[in-house]
Amino acid sequence: MAIELAEKYLGYVDEQFSAVSRISMITNHDFSFQGAHSVKIYKVSTGQMQDYGREGAAEGNISRYGAVESLDATTETFELKKDRSFTFVLDALDMDETQQALSAASALARQIREVAIPEVDTYTLGVICAGAGTKPAAVALTKDNIYGEIIKGSRELDNAEAPESGRVLLVTPDIYYIMKQCKDIVMETDIGNDMRVRGVVSNLDGMTVAKVPANRLPKGFGFLIAHPCATVAPVKLESYRTHQDPPGISGVLCEGRVVYDAFVLDNKKKAIYYQAQPVTTQGDGKGDQG
C-alpha cells in the first residue's frame, strides 16, 4: 500500500531573476498623449545661405539678401498601437494553504516585473534598432575589433551633430564580456548604486555603458549607441488593480492594462547607431566572442 507522507512547504517562492526596464535611458516623453490617441508634429525645412548683394539685388532677385525661399512644413503622425492587458485569479484557499506565498501584492508585482516590463522593453528596443539612422552591414564582433566598431558609431553621431552629452551604449552581457577582454578599452567603472540598478556598468568615451538581457533584443544584436532625444516612448495608461471576492470568484482577481508605443523621430534618427552581428545557424545572435 502506497503511503504519501505529509509534506510541509515553506512560505517561500523561487523567484525568477528579472532585470528592471532599460529603456528610460535612451527614450524621452516629450510628447503628451493626454486626451488623444495620436499626435502630429511638424517638420519644418530651413533656408539656404546666400551671398548678400551689397551693391544691389542680383538680377532676378527682389532682395539684396538673395532669392526668397518658402519653407516646407510637413507633419509626422504618431498613433499608439499597443494596448495590452492581463488578468488572473488567486483562489482564497490557494492563498491560505500556501502560507500566503500566493499573495495578490507579490503576484501582481511579479507579473509587472517579469512580464509587462520585459514586453515593453523588447518592443521599444526593436523599434529603436529598426529605426536607427545608421545601420552598417552586420559584422562579427571580437575582442580585436569591438573598440574600433564602437568608435565608428560614435563618429557617425559626431558627424550628424547629435548631442554629445547623454549618449548611451547598450550591449548584451556577451558583448560586455568581449569589451572587457579588449586591450584598447579602458572603462570608468566608478558608478553609483542608483545607476547600477538601471543596468549602467561603466562609462566609455563619454558614453554611459548599460547591459541589456539578450532576450529583450533583436536576433543578431551587436550594440546600440543612442541619444534619448531621438525616440519618444509614451506610456499613456498603466493600470494595475486587485478585486477582492468579485462576483463568481472566491479570492482575488488581478487585472492590468498598459497602453504604450515607441517612435523614432525622422529628423533625429541619426542620433541612433545600430550595429548588428551575423545571426549564427543556431540563431543565438551572439556572433564570435573572440
Side-chain angles (χ1 to χ4, degrees), residues 39-62:
V39 297
K40 288 186 177 183
I41 65 170
Y42 280 102
K43 294 191 300 180
V44 181
S45 64
T46 57
Q48 296 182 354
M49 296 298 292
Q50 306 178 59
D51 293 326
Y52 181 79
R54 187 172 181 179
E55 304 300 325
E59 183 178 353
N61 292 341
I62 62 173

Side-chain angles (χ1 to χ4, degrees), residues 50 115 161 213:
Q50 306 178 59
V115 180
E161 299 185 51

Side-chain angles (χ1 to χ4, degrees), residues 155-233:
R155 180 188 64 191
E156 288 294 328
L157 266 69
D158 288 341
N159 287 331
E161 299 185 51
E164 292 188 29
S165 177
R167 294 180 188 177
V168 178
L169 170 63
L170 286 187
V171 298
T172 64
D174 292 300
I175 296 299
Y176 186 66
Y177 175 73
I178 294 174
M179 293 170 64
K180 294 287 283 186
Q181 298 180 75
C182 178
K183 60 182 177 58
D184 296 322
I185 293 181
V186 178
M187 290 184 283
E188 180 185 339
T189 57
D190 186 15
I191 304 297
N193 187 61
D194 59 328
M195 295 298 287
R196 289 193 181 278
V197 170
R198 301 172 62 192
V200 176
V201 290
S202 62
N203 288 293
L204 176 65
D205 293 341
M207 296 181 290
T208 298
V209 182
K211 287 190 294 185
V212 180
N215 59 3
R216 299 189 190 183
L217 294 160
K219 293 290 185 182
F221 181 90
F223 65 83
L224 179 76
I225 301 175
H227 192 279
C229 70
T231 306
V232 182

Side-chain angles (χ1 to χ4, degrees), residues 249-272:
I249 294 174
S250 174
V252 180
L253 175 67
C254 298
E255 297 175 329
R257 183 184 182 191
V258 56
V259 180
Y260 67 95
D261 214 324
F263 310 99
V264 174
L265 303 179
D266 190 53
N267 281 349
K268 295 180 179 177
K269 62 185 180 183
K270 285 292 186 180
I272 304 174

Side-chain angles (χ1 to χ4, degrees), residues 65-241:
Y65 288 89
V68 179
E69 300 178 67
S70 296
L71 298 185
D72 296 323
T74 57
T75 60
E76 290 181 85
T77 300
F78 302 121
E79 182 175 345
L80 298 174
K81 298 182 290 295
K82 306 297 286 186
D83 190 348
R84 304 283 284 164
S85 60
F86 62 82
T87 181
F88 55 83
V89 169
L90 301 174
D91 186 85
L93 277 182
D94 289 341
M95 289 189 289
D96 178 73
E97 294 173 356
T98 56
Q99 300 182 27
Q100 299 303 313
L102 284 176
S103 71
S106 62
L108 195 55
R110 190 178 308 115
Q111 178 75 16
I112 295 169
R113 183 179 66 249
E114 298 180 6
V115 180
I117 288 176
E119 176 182 304
V120 175
D121 273 18
T122 300
Y123 173 81
T124 302
L125 290 167
V127 169
I128 294 173
C129 291
T134 305
K135 291 183 286 188
V139 60
L141 298 174
T142 70
K143 63 184 180 182
D144 297 318
N145 69 5
I146 183 66
Y147 187 57
E149 296 300 327
I150 291 173
I151 292 303
K152 287 180 185 178
S154 183
R155 180 188 64 191
E156 288 294 328
L157 266 69
D158 288 341
N159 287 331
E161 299 185 51
E164 292 188 29
S165 177
R167 294 180 188 177
V168 178
L169 170 63
L170 286 187
V171 298
T172 64
D174 292 300
I175 296 299
Y176 186 66
Y177 175 73
I178 294 174
M179 293 170 64
K180 294 287 283 186
Q181 298 180 75
C182 178
K183 60 182 177 58
D184 296 322
I185 293 181
V186 178
M187 290 184 283
E188 180 185 339
T189 57
D190 186 15
I191 304 297
N193 187 61
D194 59 328
M195 295 298 287
R196 289 193 181 278
V197 170
R198 301 172 62 192
V200 176
V201 290
S202 62
N203 288 293
L204 176 65
D205 293 341
M207 296 181 290
T208 298
V209 182
K211 287 190 294 185
V212 180
N215 59 3
R216 299 189 190 183
L217 294 160
K219 293 290 185 182
F221 181 90
F223 65 83
L224 179 76
I225 301 175
H227 192 279
C229 70
T231 306
V232 182
V235 178
K236 179 178 173 63
L237 176 65
E238 192 175 12
S239 174
Y240 308 109
R241 63 187 66 189

